[in-house]
């Protein structure tokens, strides 16, 4: 019997449910605990994690149903897919689970806010207590490899600043993944990450220590709106952050220009909203289209690389655009 469009929709819906179950396992450490235990009954998993046994029984049944676990009677063990969901696993799939539940949250908020036109801002990201602590890890899993393999080779300013043993400042650094990736490749650079959330600073410091970068990499409280630098910077980075403060770009760029040493650079990495929105049906752009809806809730919208370059030029920078897939890195040099 031929499959119908409704059959395909049911298949997609089951995929979403599968990631919902995986999300529960990720944020509560269940995949990692089962990996350490090897084989475990529900009571063993409850003792290991401190979670309620009743909830764990239902989760294990659901995780088995969707293939995250295998079972032998009442004993559960990770499947290969379940092992890949561990946050510490190489090429972990945890970001897919976090992103799926975050997207569902944003879709629910958009559905209600569409009726009033209200745009409550970035606080919507903190409305679900189980999502926010994982936001930085999700971004790292989504973008660190792309940064190391595509952005770094395409943008020569990083190697130049490494030659001058410069200071790199990341505004809104999250868990510090960008600076850890950069200093891991550019061994003469020093880094300072600024963020407004204490939890992000704690995560960043712990991970820098783990990657043996704590002697060159430091983190402090501060954000794009309020920060003080201990010395002029050679490079200031804004990663997927400019669209959050676009309405304040004139005043912001003027200040950042003054915080740079002569010859320093402001490096902006942003999704490149296409001029021709007919391209949004292509798989690489579909996620961007949904994210732009989420950004509208937060009072933002994605930008064209050319308008970023124009704003930098107007602020006294010499601007160049480096396309990287569906993103763009726009470099503004202080003369």
């Amino acid at each position: 019997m031929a499959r119908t469009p409704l059959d395909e929709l049911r298949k997609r819906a089951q995929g979403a449910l599968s990631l919902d179950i995986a999300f529960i396992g990720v944020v509560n450490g269940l995949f990692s605990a089962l990996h350490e235990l090897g084989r475990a009954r529900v009571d063993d998993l409850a003792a290991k994690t401190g979670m309620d046994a009743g909830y764990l029984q239902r989760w294990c049944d659901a995780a088995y149903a969707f293939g995250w676990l295998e079972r032998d009677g009442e004993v559960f063990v990770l499947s290969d897919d379940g092992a890949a969901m561990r946050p510490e696993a190489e090429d972990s799939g945890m970001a897919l689970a976090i992103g799926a539940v975050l997207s569902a949250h944003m879709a629910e908020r958009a559905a209600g806010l569409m009726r009033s036109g209200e745009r409550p801002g970035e606080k919507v990201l903190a409305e679900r207590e189980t999502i926010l602590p994982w936001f930085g890890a999700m971004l790292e899993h989504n973008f660190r490899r792309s940064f190391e393999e595509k952005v770094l080779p395409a943008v020569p300013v990083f190697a130049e600043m490494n030659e001058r043993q410069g200071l790199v400042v990341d505004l809104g650094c999250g868990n510090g993944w960008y600076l850890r990736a950069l200093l891991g490749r550019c061994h003469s650079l020093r880094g300072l990450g600024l963020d407004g959330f204490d939890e992000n600073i704690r995560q960043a410091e712990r991970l820098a220590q783990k990657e043996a970068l704590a002697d060159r990499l430091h983190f402090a409280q501060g954000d794009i709106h309020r920060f003080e630098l201990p010395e002029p910077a050679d490079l200031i980075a804004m990663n997927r952050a400019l669209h959050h403060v676009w309405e304040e770009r004139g005043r912001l760029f003027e200040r950042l220009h003054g915080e740079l040493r002569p010859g320093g650079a402001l490096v902006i990495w942003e999704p490149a909203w296409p001029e021709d929105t007919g391209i949004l049906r292509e798989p690489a752009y579909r996620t961007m289209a949904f994210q732009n809806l989420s950004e509208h809730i937060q009072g933002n919208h994605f930008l064209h690389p050319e308008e970023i370059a124009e704003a930098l030029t107007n602020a006294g920078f010499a601007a160049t655009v480096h396309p990287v897939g569906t993103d763009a890195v726009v470099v503004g040099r202080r003369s």
Side-chain angles (χ1 to χ4, degrees):
M1 185 174 180
R3 293 180 64 86
T4 68
L6 189 56
D7 291 329
E8 180 61 30
L9 288 174
R10 289 193 181 102
K11 182 179 178 181
R12 294 183 189 179
Q14 287 218 343
L17 288 177
S18 180
L19 289 173
D20 290 343
I21 295 300
F23 171 83
I24 298 170
V26 168
V27 302
N28 287 319
L30 304 181
F31 292 117
S32 298
L34 273 168
H35 176 74
E36 293 177 14
L37 290 169
R39 297 165 55 85
R41 298 176 182 273
V42 167
D43 288 344
D44 300 325
L45 190 56
K48 175 74 172 176
T49 63
M51 302 289 165
D52 177 78
Y55 273 99
L56 281 175
Q57 180 67 64
R58 277 70 181 179
W59 179 81
C60 286
D61 289 340
Y64 167 73
F66 282 99
W68 302 115
L69 303 183
E70 303 294 352
R71 72 185 307 162
D72 180 9
E74 298 303 315
V75 176
F76 292 93
V77 63
L78 289 178
S79 67
D80 290 343
D81 287 343
M85 268 294 166
R86 294 179 298 119
E88 63 273 15
E90 186 176 359
D91 293 328
S92 171
M94 56 80 66
L96 295 173
I98 303 298
V101 173
L102 175 60
S103 296
H105 169 59
M106 299 303 285
E108 189 277 333
R109 296 294 276 129
L113 294 167
M114 189 174 288
R115 303 167 189 176
S116 66
E118 181 187 359
R119 301 171 71 186
E122 296 175 19
K123 65 182 182 180
V124 297
L125 295 175
E127 289 174 342
R128 294 292 178 265
E129 63 180 15
T130 56
I131 295 176
L132 187 60
W134 291 89
F135 195 76
M138 179 186 71
L139 293 179
E140 179 166 4
H141 279 274
N142 283 340
F143 299 116
R144 179 166 179 166
R145 176 174 291 182
S146 177
F147 176 69
E148 292 173 333
E149 297 179 358
K150 297 178 180 179
V151 173
L152 273 175
V155 183
V157 71
F158 296 113
E160 178 188 337
M161 296 304 162
N162 187 49
E163 287 291 327
R164 57 196 263 180
Q165 301 181 339
L167 172 66
V168 179
V169 177
D170 186 7
L171 298 179
C173 66
N175 74 346
W177 70 267
Y178 177 96
L179 288 173
R180 286 186 280 110
L182 179 57
L183 269 63
R185 298 295 182 95
C186 298
H187 299 145
S188 296
L189 286 175
R190 297 169 292 127
L192 173 62
L194 302 176
D195 199 276
F197 291 99
D198 289 337
E199 174 61 24
N200 287 342
I201 297 298
R202 287 192 293 270
Q203 287 186 24
E205 290 176 338
R206 183 174 68 251
L207 291 167
Q209 188 74 37
K210 181 179 179 181
E211 295 184 27
L213 293 170
D215 59 331
R216 292 188 289 129
L217 179 54
H218 303 280
F219 299 92
Q221 192 82 10
D223 58 26
I224 289 174
H225 304 286
R226 295 173 298 278
F227 67 89
E228 294 182 8
L229 299 185
E231 62 181 273
D234 296 273
L235 188 153
I236 296 177
M238 294 180 65
N239 300 307
R240 314 181 92 79
L242 178 61
H243 60 276
H244 289 266
V245 291
W246 181 244
E247 299 304 319
E248 305 163 41
R249 60 191 178 278
R251 183 169 65 253
L252 175 66
F253 286 168
E254 180 181 356
R255 180 180 181 189
L256 297 183
H257 190 282
E259 296 286 354
L260 287 166
R261 298 184 195 275
L266 174 59
V267 180
I268 297 168
W269 182 12
E270 282 282 317
W273 187 252
E275 295 285 350
D276 177 13
T277 53
I279 203 173
L280 293 177
R281 277 199 170 179
E282 293 190 8
Y285 284 90
R286 287 175 179 169
T287 301
M288 185 188 296
F290 180 85
Q291 288 176 342
N292 203 35
L293 171 60
S294 298
E295 294 297 338
H296 189 78
I297 296 171
Q298 300 170 64
N300 315 316
H301 65 277
F302 285 155
L303 306 166
H304 303 300
E306 293 74 20
E307 63 182 325
I308 299 174
E310 181 180 5
L312 285 171
T313 300
N314 292 338
F317 291 93
T320 55
V321 178
H322 303 269
V324 183
T326 59
D327 293 346
V329 177
V330 187
V331 178
R333 298 297 297 262
R334 176 180 171 176
S335 61

